[in-house]
Amino acid sequence: MEKLQLGAADTKSADVVTANMAALRALYPEAFVEGKIDFDVLRHLLGGAVDEREEKYGLNWHGKRRARQLALTPSTGTLRPAPGESVDWETTQNLMIEGDNLEVLKLLQKSYSGKVKLIYIDPPYNTGKDFVYPDDFRDNIRNYLELTGQVEGGKKITSNPESSGRFHTDWLNMMYPRLKLARALLAEDGALFASIDDEEFPHLRAVMDAVFGEENFVGAFVWEKRTTRENRRVLSVNHDYLLCYARELSLFEQTRGLLPRTIESEERFDNPDQDPRGAWQSVSINAQAGPGRRKEQFFTIVTPSGRRVDPPSGRCWIFTEDRFHELVADRRIWFGEDGNNVPRLKVFRSESNDGVVPHTLWKADEVGTTDSAKKALKDLFDGIEVFDTPKPIGLLERILAIGATGSPNDVVLDFFAGAGPVGEAVLYANARDGGRRKYLLVQLPEPLPDDSPGRSLGLENLAQVVIERLRRAAKKIRDENPLFAGDLGFRVFKLDSSNIRAWEPRRDDLEQTLLESQEHIKPGRGEQDVLYELLLKLGLELTVPIQTRTIAGKSVHSVGGGVLMVCLSESVAADEVEALAEGIVAWHKELQPAGEVNLVFRDSAFANDVAKTNLTAILQQQGLGNVKSV
């Protein structure tokens, strides 16, 4: 039975460096010598693709290398469940996580990599008064606990004034590793939207170009955030930006949603060729030639006038040559009135009920303003203003309409949750269209100011504001939509150090240290704490179904239909081993899970090594050989 030690692969978040090395080795095995990369060989294999110039195009700043390393350093922390602060714990698929988003994003890598359909973030705009704190390269969990007052440390959370000398640098060092981790969570057809103002817009665009690739830039939306005029500055700034990048643009283009039609969009339909099927509009028939495209999508089109047309450089046709000729025969390809234009596809009004392509200017009367958002949030909290700069639900619903159309697999992540508008927007969108989107929110427990009206409600920090908002929004939606049967609950988790005790010997009392280390799990940590840490570290989602049975007087948990079976009983006597093992085997056969099964037991529970060995032997005889202890 393998004992899980703190620092082992199964007790840390995903090791990005190891994964990158494995991927590189698979592509270029000859570039590896004794487990290390031979860069001379790799440079030769890559030919002219290696840029060795001293001066290169790109955004650089002090601390960039360290910020990159922060994203690559695995986390040894965990997320502790808080059922008492949750709603519908047993059934909900929504998550609210309290903690430092850098560490939380690391912890989510194994369980949620490639599963998030849409990310929206509203990061600090770097106005000089934003809440910031330094990431700690050596132990960010300890750093987080000190800064939030959960352990003694004396560190202080500060703002980022322009006089700091590294005004933009500090902000970039905060954003860069978080964006790198966020990209890894996105599905192949997913996208990230980020709100920002003029101050950091160019820097955020440059960082996102580096993280996502310039070729995956979707657009920069302009949001009219206010309709009133400010007379305090040189200019009255009435807008913010929303930067959008796709994980893979060609795939996002195929799944992105459209917006409802308006009178203006209806006017774009015409019928210049008198097609009996009615009015139509034409759309482009080329797309980016990314992964997944077929060679049959690269061909030369000959127009009726005899002109030869190839796809633009780096792009291909959206269908094969055979399908193209079928559409020509059906009069669905438009070559212009003289038959000489680049071909386009005819989309008939009678067939296009799915909406219109989003435009980049989002007006206040379409999606709301900062003022309307403040009023709505204030109304939700019975007239109490709990947050200064909320985003309107209409703005978030438009983003959802584009990036997460309502599939049961649509996970929507916001790791700068603020006051939690994304969670409320997801609930409203689901209630409106019957979708089954799931939200995953992350918010630092940033203390509310002492004079904050929110403290009159007993709210001490911003994470508590989010939780209370989700409760109130769910009640409001249930009252307004009594027939809605969708998910209005959420599970709360809190970032903390690992439940597994690290070896920290006290030189002045080694004997007592040895006695304490016999119990591998920290004092005060329950079965549920350990169980959910195992889910994270073994790559299972935090909302996966968990069943519990009593076998031989012990509680045994089956996770995900039996892919993980856990018994954390504090005592397993020698004469209980056989009944416990046989009961687990019988339950496993009943569940019939697909793939390998992990079994985990509490190491200190066994009366002796003989009992542990006997249990392992019985399980292995029945084909259950992946047995570990904590």
Side-chain angles (χ1 to χ4, degrees):
M1 185 182 294
E2 179 188 351
K3 186 175 181 180
L4 296 176
Q5 302 284 353
L6 193 65
D10 284 344
T11 63
K12 297 189 293 186
S13 62
D15 189 336
V16 181
V17 173
T18 300
N20 289 342
M21 290 280 284
L24 195 59
R25 184 192 290 270
L27 291 172
Y28 306 107
E30 59 267 55
F32 283 77
V33 179
E34 296 182 342
K36 302 291 184 180
I37 299 176
D38 185 327
F39 278 101
D40 288 334
V41 175
L42 183 61
R43 188 179 296 109
H44 177 73
L45 291 170
L46 293 173
V50 178
D51 188 350
E52 300 186 59
R53 293 172 298 173
E54 290 185 8
E55 296 180 355
K56 303 174 185 178
Y57 174 78
L59 177 65
N60 282 296
W61 65 90
H62 179 78
K64 182 178 181 180
R65 181 178 299 177
R66 179 179 174 275
R68 182 187 293 116
Q69 189 63 36
L70 271 172
L72 297 174
T73 306
S75 174
T76 57
T78 190
L79 300 176
R80 299 181 65 185
E85 299 180 40
S86 308
V87 174
D88 299 333
W89 174 272
E90 296 296 334
T91 58
T92 186
Q93 296 290 302
N94 299 316
L95 294 171
M96 163 55 199
I97 301 174
E98 175 189 299
D100 163 22
N101 53 19
L102 178 66
E103 290 303 301
V104 173
L105 288 171
K106 292 180 183 180
L107 290 170
L108 295 176
Q109 292 296 314
K110 286 185 178 179
S111 300
Y112 291 90
S113 178
K115 296 181 181 179
V116 176
K117 186 66 173 69
L118 173 67
I119 298 176
Y120 168 77
I121 56 171
D122 183 15
Y125 279 12
N126 206 19
T127 61
K129 301 177 182 178
D130 299 310
F131 178 85
V132 296
Y133 60 94
D135 294 315
D136 191 313
F137 179 78
R138 295 159 299 174
D139 189 354
N140 212 48
I141 292 290
R142 176 85 183 174
N143 185 52
Y144 161 72
L145 295 174
E146 289 176 348
L147 290 168
T148 53
Q150 298 180 55
V151 296
E152 293 183 6
K155 295 186 180 182
K156 191 175 182 181
I157 299 168
T158 63
S159 60
N160 182 34
E162 292 189 52
S163 59
S164 68
R166 289 181 176 170
F167 181 61
H168 297 296
T169 292
D170 290 343
W171 188 84
L172 288 167
N173 284 331
M174 183 268 295
M175 291 297 297
Y176 184 53
R178 288 161 173 83
L179 288 171
K180 287 185 69 68
L181 290 164
R183 181 187 177 276
L185 294 176
L186 273 177
E188 289 296 319
D189 62 348
L192 183 149
F193 286 75
S195 287
I196 199 67
D197 66 358
D198 285 304
E199 186 72 44
E200 295 293 353
F201 174 81
H203 303 131
L204 182 60
R205 171 93 188 250
V207 169
M208 293 181 74
D209 277 345
V211 172
F212 287 85
E214 294 179 28
E215 69 277 10
N216 291 310
F217 172 66
V218 177
F221 299 93
V222 179
W223 166 47
E224 185 184 18
K225 66 179 181 180
R226 68 159 58 93
T227 55
T228 56
R229 186 182 302 277
E230 268 192 323
N231 284 319
R232 296 178 297 142
R233 300 182 179 181
V234 176
L235 296 174
S236 176
V237 180
N238 285 44
H239 71 280
D240 272 354
Y241 299 98
L242 281 142
L243 272 172
C244 179
Y245 281 77
R247 174 72 185 262
E248 172 54 59
L249 182 59
S250 62
L251 298 178
F252 176 68
E253 286 177 342
Q254 297 174 31
T255 61
R256 64 97 174 90
L258 301 175
L259 301 181
R261 294 192 174 278
T262 62
I263 294 176
E264 181 186 61
S265 63
E266 285 293 321
E267 293 173 351
R268 298 174 186 169
F269 287 91
D270 198 1
N271 194 1
D273 61 348
Q274 302 303 307
D275 195 305
R277 287 166 291 193
W280 51 268
Q281 62 177 336
S282 66
V283 297
S284 172
I285 63 169
N286 68 71
Q288 184 174 345
R293 299 301 189 186
R294 299 160 58 188
K295 63 180 181 180
E296 292 86 355
Q297 292 176 251
F298 298 86
F299 57 93
T300 299
I301 292 174
V302 180
T303 70
S305 69
R307 177 186 176 189
R308 299 174 67 84
V309 181
D310 291 307
S313 177
R315 300 181 74 80
C316 64
W317 304 123
I318 62 175
F319 28 59
T320 65
E321 186 170 7
D322 288 344
R323 178 57 181 158
F324 171 75
H325 289 303
E326 289 176 2
L327 293 168
V328 170
D330 195 30
R331 292 184 60 196
R332 289 179 178 265
I333 299 295
W334 177 244
F335 294 96
E337 293 185 1
D338 59 0
N340 193 50
N341 289 0
V342 174
R344 292 173 64 86
L345 178 67
K346 291 163 60 175
V347 179
F348 294 93
R349 178 164 50 195
S350 60
E351 299 173 343
S352 58
N353 299 318
D354 50 356
V356 295
V357 172
H359 52 68
T360 56
L361 177 60
W362 293 2
K363 300 177 182 178
D365 58 357
E366 296 174 343
V367 298
T369 64
T370 301
D371 286 341
S372 67
K374 289 178 70 172
K375 182 181 184 305
L377 186 59
K378 190 173 179 179
D379 290 344
L380 187 65
F381 279 84
D382 302 323
I384 296 175
E385 188 174 301
V386 295
F387 193 68
D388 291 334
T389 56
K391 292 295 185 288
I393 298 302
L395 179 73
L396 278 303
E397 284 195 281
R398 172 162 290 190
I399 294 171
L400 290 172
I402 298 169
T405 55
S407 163
N409 295 322
D410 281 359
V411 177
V412 182
L413 167 64
D414 180 1
F415 54 90
F416 285 102
V422 166
E424 184 175 347
V426 165
L427 298 182
Y428 269 109
N430 287 345
R432 183 189 66 251
D433 62 17
R436 295 169 61 186
R437 305 167 188 85
K438 297 170 282 192
Y439 63 73
L440 197 170
L441 310 181
V442 184
Q443 178 55 46
L444 190 76
E446 176 185 342
L448 295 181
D450 292 337
D451 59 352
S452 169
R455 288 192 175 268
S456 66
L457 297 174
L459 304 174
E460 298 180 0
N461 60 59
L462 200 48
Q464 292 178 0
V465 171
V466 177
I467 292 170
E468 182 61 21
R469 179 183 193 160
L470 296 174
R471 292 179 193 277
R472 290 172 178 252
K475 181 181 183 304
K476 187 171 186 287
I477 290 170
R478 188 178 290 111
D479 292 344
E480 294 174 349
N481 305 271
L483 299 179
F484 177 60
D487 185 359
L488 293 172
F490 56 91
R491 288 186 176 187
V492 175
F493 288 84
K494 299 189 178 186
L495 178 66
D496 208 331
S497 59
S498 174
N499 298 292
I500 301 173
R501 188 199 298 267
W503 171 245
E504 297 175 343
R506 296 194 299 274
R507 297 182 182 277
D508 58 336
D509 195 352
L510 286 174
E511 181 179 355
Q512 183 62 31
T513 301
L514 287 168
L515 289 172
E516 291 175 354
S517 67
Q518 292 178 357
E519 173 55 66
H520 208 205
I521 298 173
K522 290 179 180 176
R525 304 295 177 95
E527 282 195 20
Q528 205 172 41
D529 293 322
V530 179
L531 185 60
Y532 279 98
E533 179 164 4
L534 290 171
L535 262 63
L536 278 174
K537 304 303 170 61
L538 294 175
L540 298 169
E541 295 182 16
L542 291 171
T543 55
V544 68
I546 300 176
Q547 297 174 276
T548 303
R549 280 189 183 180
T550 301
I551 300 175
K554 316 298 179 186
S555 291
V556 179
H557 309 283
S558 167
V559 182
V563 296
L564 171 65
M565 302 188 79
V566 183
C567 177
L568 297 172
S569 173
E570 295 183 1
S571 172
V572 178
D575 59 358
E576 297 174 319
V577 164
E578 185 174 353
L580 177 60
E582 290 178 350
I584 291 174
V585 169
W587 195 13
H588 170 260
K589 289 180 178 178
E590 179 185 330
L591 293 168
Q592 294 184 332
E596 188 178 25
V597 177
N598 288 284
L599 296 103
V600 182
F601 298 86
R602 185 189 291 260
D603 192 77
S604 61
F606 295 98
N608 49 49
D609 287 342
V610 174
K612 188 192 302 185
T613 302
N614 288 343
L615 179 104
T616 305
I618 296 171
L619 293 172
Q620 288 178 340
Q621 288 169 6
Q622 299 296 323
L624 303 178
N626 197 7
V627 186
K628 296 180 173 66
S629 66
V630 292

